[in-house]
Structure formats: structure tokens, C-alpha cells
């Protein structure tokens, strides 16, 4: 019966077309009106699509996109396998839309402890398809046509298009580097906001500020003083804070990650975003979450129930078990949240040494698994094209992957269009990689340096 519907519907449409004056029907006929919604204008380019493809085509060593090339911890993989093949076959079905109950319960316990307050699993926590969807829910839920959203540059690139898609206006404020002390390498802590400049960006139109600490791409971990200054401005101007803390466990040298939601007056106006992908080295699982007051989260739930709604049950079950373990081992040496940063700090130091030894000056990150390095000394290998629209670092990164097989991401990708040329002599490396990968990167850099210096 159903098969007959296709041809007869087509016949009906053809009849209508010819009776409407069309001379012939062609499957080649194109729509003449713009098909895309206006809100997509100008946001169609995505740096990752281009650079991921280049890395896949040319790289022998990929330190570009941010993901570990080592496995997640065994306890987490085992939890996934147990969830997948255990008795409870309901784990293969939809679970609660706003978050699998065992996961929201343990996240509430965990973040309640971290934030020093009662966190209700059902109203103060919502699970999302990675931190990416958490960000999307925030912008859709809070930003109206014409609202301004302050974004600190350099920033994780999706903030800008997501604000625009919601009808908002991004307002940028830059972290500006201070010269390091004589003979010392620069640190991500040397990149700071000018307090007066930041204050000048807040106005009656400001709806929210996006904070990302530890910051991708610089690895900056905002100090308590810096966060208090931001918090005071939020309170003074009655502004929301969307706090992207996906690298919360990846802080080095004894530095402390401070959650802005824990500061005076901020719980009620902050959504804190986290990611199991970054916390447990399992970016492909795409489990993220938001924590915040019900007054804010009720609107995230509205967006979520009208977009993704459900997240993968098995992955949520496994992440819940991962957090259960971490809560039991909290602060102990066996905790993954203690072990991972310890291992990554060593990897950071290897990459710092490799880059410094060849003159690609690294900015030492206080957090994240990224490191930004200055390519000025390598400029002679990749001549500048003075009137090119493409920032120099982008052409450099493309040249490097094609000619040296080493993939990295240009820093200009983390700036808005107007500011892309402000800091265009830096590239970002990801050091969440196996020792062998970092060694292979070192070999490429050493060989390159030898070729440069040999007559
Ligand atoms: N925020 C930042 C700062 C990120 O770097 C990333 C991933 N690179 C995300 C959010 C998205 O995280 P997820 O993979 O959990 O969606």
C-alpha cells in the first residue's frame, strides 16, 4: 500500500506544476530564494573543519585539535563495558532527558562539595551532549536580539557564532601580554585583562560574559583577584556569567582552579559548564553538564527539551561511575583528577623544552592541555604575503603541516574577524599526547632547526 504513495504524490505534484504554467518538470530546477536562515549569515566557516582535514591529509604528528591520543582510564572503560553488556538492558534506552539520574546525583554531590553549597540533582544540574551543547543551550536560553555578550579574547571559537545565532552582539575584550622578566619564558599568567578596559565593555545592553578558565588556547588560569573583579562587574551591572570550566582539573605547578560560582553574589547568576571528555580523557563520549541555580537552569531545560533532549544513556552511566570513584578518592594520590594533571604537566614540560630548544618560544600554560608558541624566528621559512586576507599564522600552520608534517592551530583562529591580525605570530599545540607522539614532534622540530642553521 505504502509504495503506491510515492508515485501518485509525484504525479499529483507534476500535475500541479503544469497547471501552474510550468512548461516542463526538471529535477534540476533550483530554488531561487535564499535557503538559509539569516542568522547563519557570516558564520558558515569553521576553523576545525579546515584544519582537521589538513591534519588528516598531511600530518605525521598531530598536535592540532584538542584530544588525547592516549586511552581513558581503565576504570572508566570498564564502567562503559559493564553498562553496555550488563543485566540492565534499560541502559540501552532513553533515560531522563535532563540527565541520567545516577549521573546528576553524583554530579550534585561532587559540585556541592566543590562549591560549598547544596546542589539539587534535579534542578541544579543538567546533562548535555558535551560542553558544546551546554554552551549552545546557554546562549539560546539567555540571549535576546540585540543583547551584548562580552567575550574575552583569545576565546574558544564557537562562542562568537553561537552568540550571533541567538541574535546577540559579541563584544570583545582582549587579554594583553606583558613582557616577561629578562631571559624568562612568557607564562599564560602574563596575559591579563586591563581592568578599566573590561569595565568599559559593560553597559545596559550587556546580558552575559563568557568566562573560560583555564582558558583555551592560552592555558591561562584566572587568579582569585581577576575573578573577583569580573564577579564585581557582573553584580554591579546585573549580568550573567557563562563559565566554561571544561579544563577544571588540568592545572599545573600547584595553581588553584577557582570556580567563579563560588564567589560572593555569583551562584545566582552563573552557569558552570563541565565536560567528561576533558575530565576523563574521553572526548568522543560527548558527555557534558551545566550546574547552576534553578532560576537559570529552568531555561536551559527549555532549550534542551526542544533540541537534543536526550544524551547517550550508556555513556552517562559510565561517567556517573567514574565520578563515584573520584568522589571516594577525592584529593588522594590515586584520584584520576590528581594523576592526569601530574602526567600532563610532565608532557607540557617536554614540549616547552622541545620548542624552546629550537627557538619557537613557548608561553608556559598554567592549565589546559594547550600551549601557544611564538613562530617569529621561523618566519624566514614561510614568506609573508603583505596584502593577504589570511592571517600570517594561519598560512604558517598550513605550510608547516604540508611541509613538515606537524599539525598545530593558528592563534588567530581564537580571535574575532577584526582582531585576527593582532597576534598573528603564534600557533597552538595540544600536548595531551603519548610520549612517542611528543618525541616525534621533537624530532621534526630538531631536524627543521638543523636545516635552518646548516649553510
Ligand atoms: N569549551 C572549551 C573551552 C573547549 O576547549 C571545548 C572542546 N575543545 C569545549 C568547550 C567542548 O567540549 P565537549 O567536547 O565536551 O563538547
Amino acid at each position: 500500500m505504502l509504495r503506491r504513495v510515492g508515485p501518485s504524490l509525484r504525479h499529483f505534484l507534476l500535475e500541479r506544476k503544469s497547471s501552474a504554467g510550468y512548461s516542463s518538470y526538471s529535477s534540476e530546477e533550483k530554488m531561487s530564494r535564499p535557503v538559509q536562515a539569516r542568522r547563519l549569515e557570516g558564520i558558515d566557516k569553521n576553523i576545525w573543519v579546515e584544519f582537521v582535514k589538513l591534519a588528516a591529509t598531511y600530518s605525521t604528528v598531530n598536535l592540532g585539535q584538542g584530544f588525547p591520543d592516549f586511552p581513558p582510564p581503565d576504570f572508566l572503560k570498564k564502567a562503559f563495558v559493564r553498562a553496555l553488556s550488563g543485566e540492565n538492558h534499560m541502559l540501552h534506552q532513553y533515560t531522563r532527558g535532563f540527565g541520567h539520574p545516577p549521573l546528576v546525583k553524583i554530579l550534585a554531590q561532587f559540585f556541592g562539595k566543590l562549591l560549598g553549597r547544596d546542589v539539587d540533582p534535579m534542578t541544579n544540574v543538567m546533562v548535555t551532549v558535551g560542553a558544546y551543547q551546554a554552551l549552545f543551550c546557554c546562549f539560546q536560553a539567555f540571549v535576546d536580539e540585540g543583547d551584548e555578550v562580552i567575550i574575552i579574547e583569545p576565546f574558544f571559537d564557537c562562542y562568537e557564532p553561537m552568540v550571533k545565532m541567538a541574535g546577540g552582539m559579541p563584544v570583545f575584550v582582549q587579554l594583553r601580554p606583558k613582557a616577561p622578566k629578562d631571559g624568562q619564558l612568557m607564562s599564560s599568567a602574563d596575559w591579563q585583562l586591563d581592568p578599566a578596559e573590561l569595565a568599559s565593555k559593560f553597559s545596559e545592553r550587556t546580558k552575559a560574559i563568557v568566562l573560560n578558565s583555564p582558558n583555551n588556547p592560552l592555558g591561562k588560569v584566572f587568579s582569585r583577584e581577576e575573578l573577583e573583579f569580573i564577579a564585581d562587574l557582573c553584580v554591579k551591572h546585573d549580568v550573567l556569567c557563562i563559565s566554561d570550566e571544561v579544563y577544571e582539573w588540568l592545572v599545573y605547578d600547584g595553581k588553584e582552579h577557582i570556580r567563579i560560582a563560588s564567589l560572593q553574589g555569583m551562584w545566582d547568576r552563573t552557569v558552570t559548564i563541565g565536560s567528561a571528555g576533558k575530565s576523563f580523557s574521553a572526548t568522543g563520549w560527548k558527555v557534558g553538564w551545566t550546574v547552576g541555580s534553578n532560576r537559570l537552569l529552568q531555561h536551559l531545560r527549555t532549550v534542551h527539551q526542544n533540541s537534543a533532549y536526550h544524551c547517550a544513556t550508556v555513556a552517562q552511566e559510565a561517567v556517573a561511575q567514574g565520578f563515584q570513584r573520584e568522589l571516594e578518592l577525592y584529593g588522594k594520590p590515586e584520584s584520576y583528577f590528581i594523576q592526569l594533571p601530574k602526567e600532563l604537566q610532565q608532557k607540557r614540560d617536554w614540549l616547552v623544552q622541545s620548542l624552546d630548544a629550537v627557538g619557537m618560544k613557548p608561553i608556559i600554560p598554567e592549565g589546559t592541555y594547550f600551549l601557544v608558541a611564538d613562530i617569529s624566528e621561523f618566519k624566514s621559512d614561510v614568506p609573508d604575503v603583505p596584502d593577504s586576507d589570511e592571517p600570517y599564522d594561519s598560512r604558517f600552520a598550513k605550510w608547516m603541516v604540508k611541509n613538515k608534517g606537524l599539525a598545530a592551530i593558528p592563534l588567530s583562529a581564537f580571535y574575532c574577524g577584526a582582531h585576527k591580525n593582532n597576534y598573528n605570530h603564534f600557533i597552538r599545540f595540544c600536548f595531551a599526547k603519548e610520549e612517542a607522539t611528543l618525541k616525534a614532534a621533537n624530532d621534526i622540530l630538531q631536524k627543521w632547526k638543523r636545516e635552518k642553521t646548516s649553510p
Side-chain angles (χ1 to χ4, degrees), residues 48 66 129-133 135 156 158-159 212 214-216 244 246-247 273-278 283 286-288 369-370 428:
W48 304 108
V129 183
Y132 221 91
Q133 196 224 345
L135 289 162
F156 181 48
C158 73
Y159 302 157
N212 175 213
N215 160 276
N216 174 11
D244 179 345
V246 298
Y247 300 104
I273 295 175
S275 165
K278 308 294 176 179
T283 58
K286 292 296 293 181
V287 175
Y369 45 48
F370 301 113
R428 190 202 75 175

Side-chain angles (χ1 to χ4, degrees), residues 54-287:
L54 279 170
T57 316
Y58 297 105
S59 77
T60 42
V61 179
N62 186 359
L63 304 189
Q65 207 185 1
F67 59 85
D69 70 349
F70 47 81
D74 271 351
F75 67 82
L76 195 79
K77 287 195 291 184
K78 283 184 183 148
F80 197 103
V81 172
R82 268 199 310 275
L84 193 74
S85 49
E87 298 280 283
N88 185 359
H89 63 267
M90 289 314 287
L91 292 175
H92 294 275
Q93 308 305 329
Y94 295 133
T95 180
R96 177 175 168 269
F98 303 125
H100 187 47
L103 181 55
V104 288
K105 279 182 196 152
I106 193 71
L107 285 173
Q109 255 183 290
F110 209 98
F111 282 88
K113 188 178 167 94
L114 296 173
L115 294 168
R117 63 163 46 249
D118 277 346
V119 174
D120 177 63
M122 299 299 151
T123 56
N124 299 140
V125 182
M126 186 182 88
V127 176
T128 51
V129 183
Y132 221 91
Q133 196 224 345
L135 289 162
F136 183 79
C137 287
C138 286
F139 295 122
Q140 288 295 320
F142 303 137
V143 178
D144 255 328
E145 202 72 30
D147 281 347
E148 291 185 358
V149 177
I150 299 174
I151 297 178
I152 300 168
E153 285 182 312
F155 59 92
F156 181 48
D157 63 300
C158 73
Y159 302 157
E160 182 185 6
M162 282 194 190
V163 168
K164 287 182 173 165
M165 250 197 292
M169 291 260 300
V171 171
F172 299 98
V173 59
Q174 291 183 13
L175 287 164
R176 298 184 191 278
K178 289 194 317 191
K181 292 198 191 86
D182 272 351
Q184 284 188 11
L185 288 172
M186 195 183 260
S187 149
S188 57
D190 294 323
W191 290 63
Q192 293 179 2
L193 291 167
D194 171 353
E197 189 186 358
L198 176 63
S200 76
K201 303 289 176 181
F202 284 75
S203 77
E204 277 186 358
R205 293 181 300 279
T206 312
K207 185 69 184 284
I209 182 168
V210 188
L211 175 72
N212 175 213
S213 181
N215 160 276
N216 174 11
L218 285 173
K220 179 182 173 67
V221 178
F222 284 68
S223 67
R224 182 175 290 277
E225 203 189 352
E226 289 171 312
L227 293 174
E228 280 176 350
F229 187 74
I230 296 171
D232 287 349
L233 285 169
C234 288
V235 173
K236 181 172 168 204
H237 295 273
D238 202 18
V239 160
L240 293 169
C241 179
I242 299 167
S243 188
D244 179 345
E245 301 183 22
V246 298
Y247 300 104
E248 60 196 315
W249 303 110
L250 309 185
V251 285
Y252 311 121
D253 306 320
K255 189 107 195 172
E256 187 191 2
H257 169 62
I258 294 159
R259 294 172 171 79
I260 196 165
S262 69
L263 302 186
Q264 183 80 26
M266 290 307 285
W267 166 253
D268 202 38
R269 57 180 71 251
T270 303
V271 175
T272 303
I273 295 175
S275 165
K278 308 294 176 179
S279 301
F280 289 113
S281 310
T283 58
W285 290 20
K286 292 296 293 181
V287 175

